[in-house]
Amino acid sequence: MGRRSLGRFLRPVLMRLTQALLVALIVGALGFALMAALPGDQAFRLAAARYGPDMGDAAAAALVRQELGLDRPWAVQFLDWVGRLMRLDLGHSLVTGEPVLEELTMQLGYTLALAGVALPLSALLGLPLGLLAGLRPGGPMDRITLGLSVLLRAIPAYALGLFLVTVFSIHLGWLPPAGFEGWREFVLPALTLALGLAALSARVARDSVAVVAASPFMAFARWKGLPERAVVLRHGLRNAAIPVVALLGLQLIGLVEGLIIVESLFSWPGIGHALVHAIFARDVPVVQGTALALGLIFVLVNAFVDLACALADPRRARAAT
Amino acid sequence: MRALAPGRRLGLLLIVALLGFGLLGPWLAGADPAHQILADSLAPPGTDYWLGADHLGRSMLARLAHATRLSLLLAAVTVASAAIPGTLLGILAAWRGGWVEGGLVLAADAVLALPGLLLVLLLAAFAPGEFLPLYLGLALAGWVEYFRVARAMASGLLARPHVEAARLLGFGPGYVLWRLLLPGLLPTLGVLAAFGMGSAVLAISTLSFIGLGIHPPTAELGSMTTELLPYAYEAPLMVLMPAALVFMAVLGCHLLAGQARG
């Protein structure tokens, strides 16, 4: 490995590290401002949330205030928060008193499991359709997938989920509408997420396949006598994969957004659901922790996309160094 | 006006129809969207209520019309608030270069570091159920797209001979901006804005469905679905109606943006 090929991987990694730092700073600052913007005396609210509405008296509030250091100047509290964030100490939930990191690791498992099922499922649904459509641009398959994709992308994710629950749980009774124990519980949330993502990836795959199929180098590969198999596999697929992989990054914004929506809809005990709940409960450390985790998932997955791009297309990496 | 492709014309038609429904609907319904007649709870569509009445006996027609108007207006205001500063800042960055461009690009990258919905959610958390944080969040997350496109296109246009000639001849920045740059940018930005309008309608209704957007009793398409969900067995059609309107609005915007061209 020469210097050049090392730089090819180092530069995107550095860029993503900067992004991760930005995520931490933005989420931290917003979370802190969120805490400061809460109406009323926070100590009373938290005492009531923690000990029940009847026990939320002045003594309990004073206890909470002292325990959480809520009486210090806001600048000190902010520096304190940033310092703890850098040590990955995310604090305790203001409602349950549990360490945020502990709750997060449990939720992270559920979120990653859901994403891990939904992403391959979306690839399975979207990519073959896109491939078929791209091989004959303007043909019936192309028109059908275009129509499906346009319709699907206009349906709000929550409505799609509700529709799937109505059909498969309520009318047909095949699948449970909620829960998270076995594989049957995975199907509807993962399908809701995957359909939305597939609507986009099918079009991306279709466009890149169409461009590659019409390109001169494909014709040349045939002229020089390569067997059709080698033409498609060696020259076709790899070139068609480049924009698909690059646009995966775009799709992954949709993944994180979709996770928040789908988890809330299906009461899936993942990070997105926890974030929405924490916002309702004004549980700021949990809001910060979950938002940070979702932001970092986004960065991490983007880093993988960068890496895949560099592997699929050496030209791009060379141009970047 | 140039002839629009059939797909785009259909999109325009959908938007105009929904706007008409939103603006004329309240007058057609002749009812207050908040007026409850509990005896008419879940009344089916008929002569009294053209689209039925919800669980609190409120006219669905009036509520749907108000909600449609709210969604479209809020989305339009949001898109305008993202597109106009975004475009102008993009042109400024391309024009001035140097630290102005560097700073703006940094700000854009900071916004892009987070998925848009996460940013909107965090800002909406400041005051769930109110317009202002929702609007600010959507505008803040949205301007970056216009900024990037405007900056890229403007730096291309500024290097073109006719623009350079105009600047050398002493035409002022106003002339160059209005006569030479904006006309070149508008078609692309229009597509972005139509698409952004669809995304805004989706985001507003989704956040309201989760409970972090606009709260009841204000009629909003997403929160209406949430409100009616417990009555899905008795009145499945009523749960469907608000979601169908969101679908039509987003479809209209996407078609107008030319998505159906492939």
Side-chain angles (χ1 to χ4, degrees):
Chain A
M1 283 236 313
R3 232 181 102 233
R4 175 178 282 178
S5 55
L6 195 68
R8 161 180 158 192
F9 293 106
L10 210 61
R11 197 186 146 93
V13 167
L14 276 179
M15 263 175 56
R16 291 302 167 195
L17 276 179
T18 318
Q19 190 190 357
L21 211 66
L22 270 175
V23 167
L25 276 178
I26 294 171
V27 170
L30 277 176
F32 190 80
L34 208 55
M35 179 108 91
L38 288 178
D41 189 337
Q42 204 190 359
F44 272 93
R45 178 195 299 278
L46 294 168
R50 201 186 274 186
Y51 307 116
D54 299 333
M55 303 292 286
D57 54 9
L63 201 71
V64 166
R65 185 176 294 121
Q66 205 205 346
E67 188 190 324
L68 299 173
L70 296 176
D71 49 357
R72 294 171 301 167
W74 70 267
V76 176
Q77 289 191 52
F78 181 62
L79 286 178
D80 190 37
W81 151 248
V82 172
R84 275 185 284 129
L85 188 71
M86 292 303 154
R87 281 176 269 129
L88 265 189
D89 173 9
L90 299 174
H92 292 249
S93 160
L94 293 179
V95 174
T96 64
E98 300 288 324
V100 173
L101 199 61
E102 219 165 85
E103 291 185 359
L104 263 184
T105 41
M106 208 172 69
Q107 292 150 355
L108 188 68
Y110 281 106
T111 294
L112 290 182
L114 182 58
V117 174
L119 268 182
L121 191 61
S122 85
L124 221 60
L125 292 169
L127 297 183
L129 280 178
L131 186 75
L132 285 176
L135 286 176
R136 270 187 209 178
M141 199 60 203
D142 191 18
R143 283 158 185 267
I144 291 170
T145 52
L146 175 62
L148 277 179
S149 152
V150 169
L151 290 181
L152 208 53
R153 286 177 69 184
I155 301 177
Y158 67 84
L160 184 63
L162 287 175
F163 173 76
L164 291 176
V165 168
T166 312
V167 172
F168 290 104
S169 312
I170 297 175
H171 283 294
L172 296 172
W174 290 352
L175 294 162
F180 37 88
E181 271 90 38
W183 67 270
R184 289 159 54 87
E185 278 84 0
F186 269 91
V187 178
L188 289 181
L191 195 62
T192 308
L193 206 51
L195 279 174
L197 296 174
L200 189 65
S201 61
R203 289 320 287 170
V204 174
R206 177 254 176 224
D207 288 346
S208 53
V209 167
V211 167
V212 168
S215 67
F217 66 77
M218 288 288 280
F220 179 72
R222 286 199 186 94
W223 285 338
K224 75 178 181 185
L226 282 183
E228 188 63 24
R229 221 178 95 88
V231 173
V232 171
L233 286 185
R234 190 148 1 126
H235 295 271
L237 274 188
R238 180 157 176 183
N239 277 295
I242 294 166
V244 175
V245 171
L247 274 151
L248 262 179
L250 199 75
Q251 199 188 1
L252 294 167
I253 298 181
L255 175 69
V256 172
E257 297 185 348
L259 277 171
I260 298 174
I261 299 163
V262 168
E263 284 184 2
S264 303
L265 178 63
F266 287 95
S267 297
W268 189 264
I271 295 181
H273 184 241
L275 169 65
V276 171
H277 256 262
I279 291 176
F280 282 131
R282 306 252 156 155
D283 192 347
V284 177
V286 176
V287 171
Q288 279 168 335
T290 47
L292 190 68
L294 282 171
L296 290 182
I297 289 179
F298 178 59
V299 176
L300 202 68
V301 176
N302 265 318
F304 277 118
V305 171
D306 288 347
L307 208 65
C309 276
L311 288 175
D313 187 1
R315 283 169 306 181
R316 196 184 142 97
R318 226 170 285 144
T321 46
Chain B
M1 198 172 156
R2 274 177 309 142
L4 285 171
R8 295 185 143 188
R9 207 174 307 152
L10 184 64
L12 191 63
L13 202 70
L14 262 173
I15 302 282
V16 170
L18 285 174
L19 263 180
F21 175 64
L23 296 177
L24 295 179
W27 172 77
L28 261 180
D32 181 346
H35 185 62
Q36 305 179 358
I37 302 177
L38 290 173
D40 292 341
S41 171
L42 296 179
T47 43
D48 285 348
Y49 301 97
W50 290 5
L51 295 177
D54 72 0
H55 57 297
L56 295 175
R58 297 172 294 193
S59 158
M60 277 298 277
L61 177 60
R63 289 184 70 71
L64 286 171
H66 276 267
T68 304
R69 190 176 62 181
L70 176 69
S71 268
L72 291 178
L73 277 183
L74 191 55
V77 171
T78 310
V79 166
S81 314
I84 295 169
T87 304
L88 292 178
L89 288 175
I91 293 174
L92 182 74
W95 195 308
R96 295 292 299 271
W99 63 268
V100 174
E101 187 173 27
L104 286 169
V105 169
L106 189 71
D109 282 349
V111 171
L112 282 179
L114 283 175
L117 190 69
L118 198 56
L119 195 63
V120 177
L121 213 60
L122 282 175
L123 285 175
F126 278 92
E130 282 181 26
F131 293 95
L132 192 67
L134 188 64
Y135 155 74
L136 281 178
L138 288 170
L140 190 69
W143 72 275
V144 180
E145 205 179 5
Y146 304 93
F147 168 77
R148 284 160 64 102
V149 170
R151 171 171 161 257
M153 291 184 74
S155 61
L157 278 174
L158 281 169
R160 293 271 294 275
H162 69 284
V163 181
E164 283 196 334
R167 291 175 72 187
L168 286 172
L169 282 171
F171 284 101
Y175 178 88
V176 174
L177 180 69
W178 281 104
R179 291 298 188 78
L180 301 177
L181 291 182
L182 281 180
L185 295 177
L186 274 183
T188 308
L189 291 173
V191 168
L192 274 189
F195 201 76
M197 176 100 180
S199 308
V201 170
L202 262 184
I204 293 164
S205 70
T206 300
L207 285 171
S208 302
F209 174 80
I210 298 177
L212 293 172
I214 292 157
H215 282 186
T218 307
E220 199 283 337
L221 295 172
S223 66
M224 281 176 76
T225 302
T226 316
E227 274 190 287
L228 285 163
L229 210 51
Y231 310 96
Y233 275 110
E234 297 99 308
L237 211 62
M238 265 176 225
V239 184
L240 197 68
M241 282 187 232
L245 280 170
V246 176
F247 169 70
M248 284 195 279
V250 179
L251 185 66
C253 293
H254 285 184
L255 287 176
L256 186 62
Q259 206 194 45
R261 272 175 319 150

